[in-house]
Amino acid sequence: MGFFDRFSDYFSNDIAIDLGTANTLVYSKSSRDIILDEPSVVAVQKNYRGMQSRVLAVGKEAKDMLGRTPGTIVAIRPIKDGVIADFEVTQSMLKYFISKSTGQQKSFIRPRINICVPYGITQVEKKAVKESAMSAGAREVYLIEEPMAAAIGAGLPIAEPIGSMVVDMGGGTTGVAVISLGGIVFCKSIKVAGDKLDEAIINYVRRQFNLLIGERTAEQIKIAIGNAYPFEKSRSMTIKGRDLVAGAPKTIEITSEQINEALKDPLTEIVDAVRTTLEKTPPELASDIVDNGIVLTGGGAHLHNLDVLIRERTGLPVTIAENPLTCVVMGSGKALEDLDLLKQVSTD
């Protein structure tokens, strides 16, 4: 490493970014901690003074506008199924988060940035992520696949000749991976995760009760009484929405058994992905997984009894990582602190 690189590393605030469909988390190398956790939402005003659009708010402030904006203001989630769906809006969002994280207006050296991406995205999608980060002020951009970052963050022995299995369930994608010797042996990535669970709840409530609810209400239901395997004692909650028959606001009570029924289809797809990964795993590594089990990471790991469901369907031990929601960004941050590891696990 040359003098300029050592100088840059000392004075720049390198960061790791988990650019998620639902939330963006930022880890700072200098403070060795998560310094930002905000929703991946941007509020845009259309046709502002002759311009095509203008960014009004980013993050928490923008999420509060979801479903509550007038016609000229749109709350956009620019990351769809874990990849960039709107390049310009993502660029604005990244600039905001990078500036907020690094205090870049005061820094004369741009940061090195490590960004988490879903497994199996195309070269075009990777290029879009890199270009967004570079235009937002990065000095260098590395990409690390989310299952690998999650495994590092969960403390799995990824560099050893031992099979480790991780199920990383985020907002847009679920990655099921077997890792050994610093590489992904096999990974199955599906576009079924937290957002699809919310969508399943919305559709179920519409079918069963002729009631229309929004994404935020569906998420609140999922967090409060959502379950992958029935509770020992039934739970319920009161929800509000618009009656599709009368057109008026309406209040109903919904139970955890009904939500369990609503989530069956997307959860079956996730379990099938786990089974497929196990079937494709080499025998020697499969024997390690029998001993060490499966580790759940990502926000989806908080779904009640998801570990119980996977344990019952696979017959393997299943544990939830200590801080599942932050595993990906913490793993990405750990890689950022070790350049040799970063170069080994980064994807081009």
Short mmCIF file of all heavy atoms in Angstrom, two decimals, residues 24-67:
data_model
loop_
_atom_site.label_atom_id
_atom_site.label_comp_id
_atom_site.label_asym_id
_atom_site.label_seq_id
_atom_site.Cartn_x
_atom_site.Cartn_y
_atom_site.Cartn_z
N THR A 24 -32.02 1.14 4.44
CA THR A 24 -30.60 1.30 4.13
C THR A 24 -29.85 1.51 5.45
O THR A 24 -30.22 2.39 6.23
CB THR A 24 -30.36 2.50 3.19
OG1 THR A 24 -30.97 2.22 1.92
CG2 THR A 24 -28.87 2.75 2.99
N LEU A 25 -28.83 0.68 5.67
CA LEU A 25 -28.01 0.80 6.87
C LEU A 25 -26.59 1.14 6.45
O LEU A 25 -26.10 0.64 5.44
CB LEU A 25 -28.00 -0.51 7.68
CG LEU A 25 -29.27 -0.86 8.46
CD1 LEU A 25 -30.30 -1.52 7.55
CD2 LEU A 25 -28.95 -1.78 9.62
N VAL A 26 -25.93 2.00 7.22
CA VAL A 26 -24.56 2.41 6.91
C VAL A 26 -23.66 2.15 8.13
O VAL A 26 -23.99 2.56 9.25
CB VAL A 26 -24.50 3.90 6.52
CG1 VAL A 26 -23.05 4.31 6.24
CG2 VAL A 26 -25.37 4.18 5.29
N TYR A 27 -22.54 1.48 7.86
CA TYR A 27 -21.54 1.17 8.89
C TYR A 27 -20.31 2.03 8.63
O TYR A 27 -19.84 2.14 7.50
CB TYR A 27 -21.17 -0.31 8.81
CG TYR A 27 -20.02 -0.75 9.70
CD1 TYR A 27 -20.25 -1.31 10.95
CD2 TYR A 27 -18.70 -0.63 9.27
CE1 TYR A 27 -19.20 -1.73 11.76
CE2 TYR A 27 -17.64 -1.06 10.07
CZ TYR A 27 -17.90 -1.60 11.31
OH TYR A 27 -16.86 -2.02 12.10
N SER A 28 -19.79 2.67 9.67
CA SER A 28 -18.60 3.51 9.55
C SER A 28 -17.38 2.75 10.03
O SER A 28 -17.36 2.22 11.14
CB SER A 28 -18.79 4.79 10.36
OG SER A 28 -17.56 5.48 10.46
N LYS A 29 -16.33 2.73 9.19
CA LYS A 29 -15.09 2.06 9.56
C LYS A 29 -14.41 2.77 10.73
O LYS A 29 -13.83 2.14 11.61
CB LYS A 29 -14.16 2.01 8.35
CG LYS A 29 -12.83 1.31 8.60
CD LYS A 29 -11.96 1.34 7.36
CE LYS A 29 -10.57 0.80 7.63
NZ LYS A 29 -9.72 0.87 6.42
N SER A 30 -14.50 4.10 10.76
CA SER A 30 -13.80 4.86 11.80
C SER A 30 -14.45 4.67 13.17
O SER A 30 -13.76 4.54 14.17
CB SER A 30 -13.76 6.34 11.44
OG SER A 30 -15.06 6.87 11.31
N SER A 31 -15.77 4.63 13.21
CA SER A 31 -16.45 4.46 14.51
C SER A 31 -16.76 3.00 14.82
O SER A 31 -17.18 2.67 15.93
CB SER A 31 -17.74 5.27 14.55
OG SER A 31 -18.65 4.80 13.58
N ARG A 32 -16.59 2.12 13.81
CA ARG A 32 -16.86 0.68 13.95
C ARG A 32 -18.27 0.42 14.48
O ARG A 32 -18.48 -0.39 15.37
CB ARG A 32 -15.82 0.01 14.85
CG ARG A 32 -14.42 0.02 14.26
CD ARG A 32 -13.50 -0.90 15.00
NE ARG A 32 -12.26 -1.08 14.25
CZ ARG A 32 -11.29 -1.90 14.61
NH1 ARG A 32 -11.42 -2.63 15.69
NH2 ARG A 32 -10.20 -2.02 13.88
N ASP A 33 -19.20 1.13 13.92
CA ASP A 33 -20.59 0.98 14.35
C ASP A 33 -21.53 1.43 13.23
O ASP A 33 -21.11 2.09 12.29
CB ASP A 33 -20.84 1.82 15.60
CG ASP A 33 -22.06 1.34 16.39
OD1 ASP A 33 -22.65 0.32 15.99
OD2 ASP A 33 -22.40 1.99 17.39
N ILE A 34 -22.80 1.08 13.38
CA ILE A 34 -23.82 1.51 12.43
C ILE A 34 -24.18 2.96 12.75
O ILE A 34 -24.58 3.27 13.88
CB ILE A 34 -25.06 0.61 12.50
CG1 ILE A 34 -24.70 -0.82 12.07
CG2 ILE A 34 -26.19 1.14 11.63
CD1 ILE A 34 -25.75 -1.86 12.38
N ILE A 35 -24.03 3.83 11.77
CA ILE A 35 -24.26 5.25 12.02
C ILE A 35 -25.53 5.76 11.35
O ILE A 35 -25.93 6.90 11.57
CB ILE A 35 -23.05 6.10 11.55
CG1 ILE A 35 -22.75 5.85 10.07
CG2 ILE A 35 -21.84 5.82 12.42
CD1 ILE A 35 -21.69 6.77 9.49
N LEU A 36 -26.16 4.92 10.54
CA LEU A 36 -27.39 5.35 9.87
C LEU A 36 -28.28 4.14 9.60
O LEU A 36 -27.80 3.09 9.17
CB LEU A 36 -27.05 6.07 8.56
CG LEU A 36 -28.21 6.69 7.77
CD1 LEU A 36 -27.78 8.02 7.16
CD2 LEU A 36 -28.69 5.76 6.66
N ASP A 37 -29.55 4.28 9.89
CA ASP A 37 -30.54 3.23 9.62
C ASP A 37 -31.84 3.94 9.25
O ASP A 37 -32.56 4.43 10.12
CB ASP A 37 -30.72 2.34 10.85
CG ASP A 37 -31.77 1.25 10.64
OD1 ASP A 37 -32.36 1.19 9.54
OD2 ASP A 37 -32.00 0.45 11.57
N GLU A 38 -32.11 4.02 7.94
CA GLU A 38 -33.29 4.74 7.48
C GLU A 38 -34.01 3.96 6.37
O GLU A 38 -33.38 3.17 5.65
CB GLU A 38 -32.91 6.13 6.97
CG GLU A 38 -32.36 7.05 8.06
CD GLU A 38 -32.61 8.52 7.75
OE1 GLU A 38 -33.55 8.82 7.00
OE2 GLU A 38 -31.85 9.35 8.27
N PRO A 39 -35.31 4.19 6.21
CA PRO A 39 -36.05 3.52 5.12
C PRO A 39 -35.51 3.93 3.75
O PRO A 39 -35.09 5.08 3.55
CB PRO A 39 -37.48 4.03 5.31
CG PRO A 39 -37.55 4.50 6.72
CD PRO A 39 -36.18 5.02 7.04
N SER A 40 -35.52 2.99 2.81
CA SER A 40 -35.07 3.27 1.43
C SER A 40 -36.23 3.88 0.64
O SER A 40 -36.79 3.27 -0.28
CB SER A 40 -34.59 1.98 0.76
OG SER A 40 -33.57 1.39 1.50
N VAL A 41 -36.59 5.09 1.03
CA VAL A 41 -37.74 5.78 0.42
C VAL A 41 -37.34 7.22 0.08
O VAL A 41 -36.64 7.87 0.86
CB VAL A 41 -38.97 5.79 1.36
CG1 VAL A 41 -40.16 6.46 0.69
CG2 VAL A 41 -39.34 4.39 1.79
N VAL A 42 -37.79 7.68 -1.08
CA VAL A 42 -37.53 9.05 -1.52
C VAL A 42 -38.85 9.70 -1.93
O VAL A 42 -39.61 9.12 -2.71
CB VAL A 42 -36.54 9.10 -2.70
CG1 VAL A 42 -36.28 10.53 -3.13
CG2 VAL A 42 -35.23 8.40 -2.35
N ALA A 43 -39.12 10.89 -1.41
CA ALA A 43 -40.32 11.64 -1.81
C ALA A 43 -39.93 12.62 -2.91
O ALA A 43 -39.00 13.41 -2.75
CB ALA A 43 -40.91 12.39 -0.63
N VAL A 44 -40.63 12.53 -4.05
CA VAL A 44 -40.30 13.33 -5.22
C VAL A 44 -41.50 14.17 -5.63
O VAL A 44 -42.63 13.68 -5.69
CB VAL A 44 -39.87 12.42 -6.40
CG1 VAL A 44 -39.63 13.24 -7.66
CG2 VAL A 44 -38.62 11.63 -6.04
N GLN A 45 -41.25 15.46 -5.90
CA GLN A 45 -42.30 16.34 -6.42
C GLN A 45 -42.17 16.41 -7.94
O GLN A 45 -41.12 16.77 -8.47
CB GLN A 45 -42.18 17.74 -5.82
CG GLN A 45 -43.31 18.67 -6.26
CD GLN A 45 -43.29 20.00 -5.53
OE1 GLN A 45 -42.33 20.29 -4.83
NE2 GLN A 45 -44.34 20.77 -5.68
N LYS A 46 -43.24 16.06 -8.63
CA LYS A 46 -43.21 16.04 -10.10
C LYS A 46 -43.44 17.44 -10.67
O LYS A 46 -44.14 18.26 -10.07
CB LYS A 46 -44.31 15.10 -10.62
CG LYS A 46 -44.08 13.63 -10.30
CD LYS A 46 -45.21 12.81 -10.88
CE LYS A 46 -45.00 11.32 -10.66
NZ LYS A 46 -46.13 10.54 -11.21
N ASN A 47 -42.85 17.65 -11.86
CA ASN A 47 -43.06 18.89 -12.63
C ASN A 47 -42.90 20.15 -11.77
O ASN A 47 -43.77 21.02 -11.75
CB ASN A 47 -44.46 18.89 -13.27
CG ASN A 47 -44.64 17.69 -14.17
OD1 ASN A 47 -43.74 17.31 -14.90
ND2 ASN A 47 -45.82 17.07 -14.09
N TYR A 48 -41.79 20.22 -11.05
CA TYR A 48 -41.54 21.37 -10.17
C TYR A 48 -40.91 22.51 -10.97
O TYR A 48 -39.79 22.41 -11.47
CB TYR A 48 -40.63 20.96 -9.01
CG TYR A 48 -40.23 22.10 -8.10
CD1 TYR A 48 -41.15 22.66 -7.22
CD2 TYR A 48 -38.93 22.62 -8.14
CE1 TYR A 48 -40.79 23.71 -6.38
CE2 TYR A 48 -38.57 23.67 -7.31
CZ TYR A 48 -39.50 24.21 -6.43
OH TYR A 48 -39.15 25.25 -5.61
N ARG A 49 -41.65 23.61 -11.14
CA ARG A 49 -41.17 24.81 -11.83
C ARG A 49 -40.52 24.50 -13.18
O ARG A 49 -39.43 24.93 -13.49
CB ARG A 49 -40.19 25.58 -10.94
CG ARG A 49 -40.84 26.18 -9.71
CD ARG A 49 -39.84 26.98 -8.89
NE ARG A 49 -40.48 27.53 -7.71
CZ ARG A 49 -39.82 28.21 -6.77
NH1 ARG A 49 -38.52 28.42 -6.90
NH2 ARG A 49 -40.46 28.68 -5.72
N GLY A 50 -41.21 23.66 -13.93
CA GLY A 50 -40.72 23.32 -15.27
C GLY A 50 -39.73 22.17 -15.29
O GLY A 50 -39.46 21.61 -16.35
N MET A 51 -39.15 21.81 -14.11
CA MET A 51 -38.22 20.67 -14.06
C MET A 51 -39.03 19.38 -14.03
O MET A 51 -40.21 19.37 -13.67
CB MET A 51 -37.33 20.76 -12.82
CG MET A 51 -36.40 21.96 -12.78
SD MET A 51 -35.25 21.89 -11.40
CE MET A 51 -36.36 22.02 -10.00
N GLN A 52 -38.36 18.28 -14.40
CA GLN A 52 -39.06 17.00 -14.44
C GLN A 52 -39.48 16.57 -13.03
O GLN A 52 -40.60 16.13 -12.81
CB GLN A 52 -38.17 15.92 -15.05
CG GLN A 52 -38.95 14.68 -15.45
CD GLN A 52 -38.10 13.74 -16.26
OE1 GLN A 52 -36.96 14.01 -16.55
NE2 GLN A 52 -38.67 12.62 -16.63
N SER A 53 -38.58 16.70 -12.05
CA SER A 53 -38.92 16.33 -10.68
C SER A 53 -37.92 16.94 -9.71
O SER A 53 -36.84 17.40 -10.10
CB SER A 53 -38.93 14.80 -10.52
OG SER A 53 -37.65 14.27 -10.79
N ARG A 54 -38.30 16.96 -8.43
CA ARG A 54 -37.42 17.49 -7.39
C ARG A 54 -37.54 16.61 -6.16
O ARG A 54 -38.65 16.26 -5.74
CB ARG A 54 -37.83 18.92 -7.05
CG ARG A 54 -37.01 19.54 -5.91
CD ARG A 54 -37.46 20.95 -5.63
NE ARG A 54 -38.76 21.00 -4.98
CZ ARG A 54 -39.03 21.72 -3.88
NH1 ARG A 54 -38.09 22.46 -3.33
NH2 ARG A 54 -40.24 21.73 -3.37
N VAL A 55 -36.40 16.22 -5.57
CA VAL A 55 -36.41 15.40 -4.36
C VAL A 55 -36.78 16.28 -3.17
O VAL A 55 -36.16 17.30 -2.90
CB VAL A 55 -35.03 14.73 -4.13
CG1 VAL A 55 -35.00 14.02 -2.79
CG2 VAL A 55 -34.72 13.76 -5.26
N LEU A 56 -37.84 15.87 -2.46
CA LEU A 56 -38.32 16.63 -1.31
C LEU A 56 -37.79 16.08 0.00
O LEU A 56 -37.44 16.84 0.91
CB LEU A 56 -39.86 16.61 -1.26
CG LEU A 56 -40.61 17.44 -2.29
CD1 LEU A 56 -42.10 17.26 -2.07
CD2 LEU A 56 -40.25 18.91 -2.16
N ALA A 57 -37.76 14.75 0.13
CA ALA A 57 -37.34 14.14 1.39
C ALA A 57 -36.78 12.75 1.12
O ALA A 57 -37.12 12.11 0.12
CB ALA A 57 -38.52 14.06 2.35
N VAL A 58 -35.92 12.29 2.03
CA VAL A 58 -35.30 10.96 1.92
C VAL A 58 -35.37 10.28 3.28
O VAL A 58 -35.27 10.94 4.32
CB VAL A 58 -33.83 11.08 1.47
CG1 VAL A 58 -33.18 9.70 1.37
CG2 VAL A 58 -33.71 11.80 0.13
N GLY A 59 -35.56 8.96 3.26
CA GLY A 59 -35.51 8.19 4.50
C GLY A 59 -36.78 8.25 5.32
O GLY A 59 -37.88 8.15 4.78
N LYS A 60 -36.62 8.43 6.65
CA LYS A 60 -37.77 8.38 7.57
C LYS A 60 -38.84 9.40 7.19
O LYS A 60 -40.03 9.10 7.20
CB LYS A 60 -37.31 8.65 9.01
CG LYS A 60 -36.45 7.55 9.62
CD LYS A 60 -36.16 7.86 11.09
CE LYS A 60 -35.35 6.75 11.76
NZ LYS A 60 -33.95 6.74 11.38
N GLU A 61 -38.40 10.62 6.87
CA GLU A 61 -39.34 11.69 6.52
C GLU A 61 -40.14 11.32 5.28
O GLU A 61 -41.35 11.57 5.20
CB GLU A 61 -38.56 12.99 6.29
CG GLU A 61 -39.44 14.22 6.16
CD GLU A 61 -38.64 15.49 5.90
OE1 GLU A 61 -37.42 15.49 6.15
OE2 GLU A 61 -39.26 16.46 5.44
N ALA A 62 -39.47 10.70 4.31
CA ALA A 62 -40.16 10.30 3.08
C ALA A 62 -41.12 9.13 3.33
O ALA A 62 -42.20 9.07 2.76
CB ALA A 62 -39.14 9.92 2.01
N LYS A 63 -40.72 8.20 4.21
CA LYS A 63 -41.59 7.04 4.48
C LYS A 63 -42.89 7.47 5.14
O LYS A 63 -43.95 6.89 4.90
CB LYS A 63 -40.88 6.02 5.38
CG LYS A 63 -41.68 4.73 5.53
CD LYS A 63 -40.98 3.67 6.34
CE LYS A 63 -41.84 2.41 6.40
NZ LYS A 63 -41.21 1.35 7.20
N ASP A 64 -42.81 8.50 5.97
CA ASP A 64 -44.02 9.01 6.61
C ASP A 64 -45.02 9.55 5.59
O ASP A 64 -46.21 9.69 5.89
CB ASP A 64 -43.67 10.12 7.60
CG ASP A 64 -42.95 9.58 8.83
OD1 ASP A 64 -43.05 8.37 9.09
OD2 ASP A 64 -42.27 10.37 9.51
N MET A 65 -44.53 9.85 4.37
CA MET A 65 -45.40 10.36 3.31
C MET A 65 -46.06 9.26 2.49
O MET A 65 -46.96 9.54 1.70
CB MET A 65 -44.59 11.26 2.36
CG MET A 65 -44.00 12.50 3.00
SD MET A 65 -43.10 13.49 1.77
CE MET A 65 -42.46 14.82 2.79
N LEU A 66 -45.59 7.99 2.65
CA LEU A 66 -46.13 6.89 1.85
C LEU A 66 -47.65 6.79 2.01
O LEU A 66 -48.16 6.66 3.12
CB LEU A 66 -45.50 5.56 2.25
CG LEU A 66 -44.20 5.15 1.55
CD1 LEU A 66 -43.64 3.88 2.16
CD2 LEU A 66 -44.40 4.96 0.06
N GLY A 67 -48.36 6.83 0.89
CA GLY A 67 -49.81 6.71 0.91
C GLY A 67 -50.54 7.94 1.41
O GLY A 67 -51.75 7.93 1.56
#
